[in-house]
């Protein structure tokens, strides 16, 4: 089993877009099947972008078919298999909370091989459900259900991808605690660099203290890829040699201090663009680029980076 989180210390990093586009290639790398699916968990209770992007416009789903529904209504017998415990299909009462989305990405796999645990977006019901699931539940039922879900996914050797909320929100903390590999999305700016550094200094110190093994991939996103002169400095080269160079040095030092408990995997900054290039299409249409026709320069470069990110994740999980 491998648990992965796409995370950012603040909103506006392009986290959900990066997750969606990387999933296409991660599915190719992992080759999931209905017995051992790739499970996408939309844990972003404020934005729930993944749920909106993967929603079938011709389908409507009740509140129960969601992360909120699982947290609130799952009972002990929900997690009991009817057949082999290591076969996800045996958990029939658990599977009803998930939506098959394999065919959104590719017709080459069974649609049940990729599952979405969506966040409910029904306006009349969402606030009460969000408060119940994402606040501290005094009787432990909500968090116990989520922990039981992780346990069953581990038994079934699933690949799990959390699209997290930003910062230290409750579900972000939950996902990061359980994740083996964390992809941190960040804009190529001083603001994001400083905020991300301060956030991860604390996280890395905590994981090192308690021996929580993590692999972290820092991934700048929406990086302008055409050379630009700003006050006599040529970008993106100046960004690589100053802002990111300093950031890399400080994060490597913090990880080194954990004695190998936390490892940082670099590589998304290599090549023509130090990260994932800005894509003009995304300013108007969020989508999975790999499914689109056309081969514009920005889209071609972005596809190459999404594929590389999927390969880095798969290597970390291997």
């Amino acid at each position: 089993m491998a648990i992965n989180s796409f995370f950012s210390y603040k909103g506006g990093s392009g986290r959900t877009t990066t997750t969606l586009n990387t999933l296409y290639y991660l599915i190719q790398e992992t080759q999931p099947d209905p017995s051992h699916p790739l499970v996408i968990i939309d844990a972003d209770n404020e934005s729930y972008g993944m749920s909106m992007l993967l929603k079938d416009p011709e389908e409507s789903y009740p509140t129960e078919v969601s992360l909120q529904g699982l947290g609130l209504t799952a009972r002990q017998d929900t997690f009991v298999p009817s057949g082999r415990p290591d076969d996800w299909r045996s958990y029939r009462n658990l599977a009803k909370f998930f939506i098959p989305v394999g065919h959104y990405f590719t017709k080459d796999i069974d649609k049940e091989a990729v599952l979405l645990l969506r966040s409910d977006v029904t306006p009349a019901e969402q606030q009460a459900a969000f408060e119940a699931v994402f606040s501290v539940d005094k009787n432990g039922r909500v968090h116990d259900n989520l922990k039981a879900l992780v346990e069953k996914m581990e038994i079934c050797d699933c690949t799990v991808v959390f699209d997290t909320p930003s910062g230290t929100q409750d579900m972000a903390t939950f996902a990061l605690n359980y994740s083996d590999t964390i992809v941190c999305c960040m804009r190529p700016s001083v603001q994001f660099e400083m905020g991300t550094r301060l956030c991860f200094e604390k996280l890395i110190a905590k994981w090192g203290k308690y021996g929580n093994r993590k692999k972290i991939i820092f991934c700048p996103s929406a990086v302008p890829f055409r050379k630009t002169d700003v006050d006599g400095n040529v970008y993106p080269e100046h960004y690589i040699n100053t802002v990111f160079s300093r950031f890399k040095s400080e994060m490597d030092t913090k990880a080194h201090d954990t004695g190998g408990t936390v490892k940082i995997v670099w590589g998304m900054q290599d090549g023509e663009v130090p990260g994932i290039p800005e894509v003009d299409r995304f300013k108007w249409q969020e989508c999975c680029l790999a499914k689109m026709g056309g081969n514009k320069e920005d889209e071609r470069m972005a596809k190459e980076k999404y594929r590389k990110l999927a390969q880095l994740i798969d290597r970390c999980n291997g």
Side-chain angles (χ1 to χ4, degrees):
M1 177 185 180
I3 303 182
N4 312 278
S5 282
F6 283 73
F7 171 78
S8 63
Y9 99 96
K10 69 187 294 291
S13 66
R15 181 184 63 251
T16 297
T17 300
T18 300
T19 308
L20 178 71
N21 279 278
T22 305
L23 278 167
Y24 177 91
Y25 297 105
L26 189 60
I27 290 166
Q28 292 183 344
E29 295 291 330
T30 59
Q31 290 294 302
D33 61 64
S35 297
H36 314 286
L38 186 151
V39 180
I40 308 162
I41 300 178
D42 187 352
D44 192 343
N45 55 304
E46 288 189 344
S47 221
Y48 37 80
M50 188 64 68
S51 299
M52 290 186 280
L53 290 171
L54 292 180
K55 177 178 171 58
D56 186 336
E58 298 182 0
E59 294 284 347
S60 60
Y61 306 102
T63 299
E64 289 75 16
V65 183
S66 66
L67 177 61
Q68 290 79 5
L70 174 68
L72 291 170
T73 66
R75 303 175 303 180
Q76 188 173 359
D77 61 2
T78 301
F79 303 96
V80 176
S82 59
R84 291 176 49 126
D86 60 346
D87 187 337
W88 177 263
R89 293 172 298 183
S90 296
Y91 297 90
R92 295 173 183 171
N93 291 328
L94 184 56
K96 69 182 182 182
F97 293 100
F98 295 79
I99 301 169
V101 294
H103 281 189
Y104 171 87
F105 295 98
T106 173
K107 298 295 192 296
D108 294 335
I109 64 170
D110 191 308
K111 65 179 181 180
E112 302 280 349
V114 183
L115 303 174
L116 171 67
L117 183 58
R118 73 184 186 102
S119 271
D120 179 59
V121 294
T122 307
E125 301 172 341
Q126 67 183 9
Q127 185 172 354
F130 285 165
E131 290 176 354
V133 173
F134 297 106
S135 62
V136 177
D137 187 82
K138 292 182 180 179
N139 62 22
R141 179 165 60 102
V142 169
H143 288 149
D144 285 348
N145 283 346
L146 297 179
K147 291 174 183 176
L149 170 63
V150 172
E151 177 186 328
K152 298 310 173 187
M153 291 189 296
E154 182 175 11
I155 292 172
C156 296
D157 196 25
C158 299
T159 298
V160 183
V161 174
F162 277 98
D163 184 20
T164 76
S166 57
T168 57
Q169 296 180 60
D170 194 46
M171 275 304 298
T173 301
F174 179 90
L176 294 181
N177 284 344
Y178 279 95
S179 290
D180 308 296
T181 301
I182 298 162
V183 177
C184 175
C185 299
M186 51 190 287
R187 296 286 188 184
S189 69
V190 172
Q191 176 194 176
F192 261 93
E193 180 265 336
M194 291 183 65
T196 301
R197 175 172 54 81
L198 292 172
C199 175
F200 273 87
E201 281 179 352
K202 297 175 183 177
L203 288 173
I204 291 172
K206 181 184 74 171
W207 294 328
K209 179 180 179 181
Y210 293 105
N212 297 331
R213 296 192 173 276
K214 306 289 180 185
K215 294 179 181 176
I216 306 169
I217 303 170
F218 288 107
C219 181
S221 57
V223 181
F225 64 93
R226 294 183 176 88
K227 290 186 178 182
T228 306
D229 188 298
V230 181
D231 295 331
N233 297 310
V234 178
Y235 288 80
E237 285 88 345
H238 185 68
Y239 165 77
I240 296 171
N241 296 329
T242 56
V243 174
F244 195 82
S245 177
R246 180 177 64 246
F247 175 83
K248 181 178 184 299
S249 175
E250 292 174 347
M251 290 296 96
D252 279 339
T253 298
K254 295 297 180 182
H256 181 268
D257 290 344
T258 69
T261 299
V262 176
K263 297 182 179 179
I264 300 181
V265 180
W266 303 105
M268 288 305 296
Q269 301 73 31
D270 300 340
E272 298 177 71
V273 184
I276 298 172
E278 184 177 43
V279 176
D280 285 342
R281 182 193 290 268
F282 290 159
K283 296 174 182 176
W284 302 103
Q285 179 192 25
E286 293 174 289
C287 62
C288 182
L289 275 179
K291 296 171 55 180
M292 303 292 119
N295 196 33
K296 293 183 178 179
E297 184 182 16
D298 57 344
E299 297 179 8
R300 175 185 59 78
M301 297 170 72
K303 290 176 187 178
E304 292 173 356
K305 283 300 180 79
Y306 289 128
R307 183 188 295 277
K308 180 165 189 175
L309 181 53
Q311 291 171 342
L312 287 175
I313 294 170
D314 189 52
R315 194 181 311 155
C316 288
N317 294 338

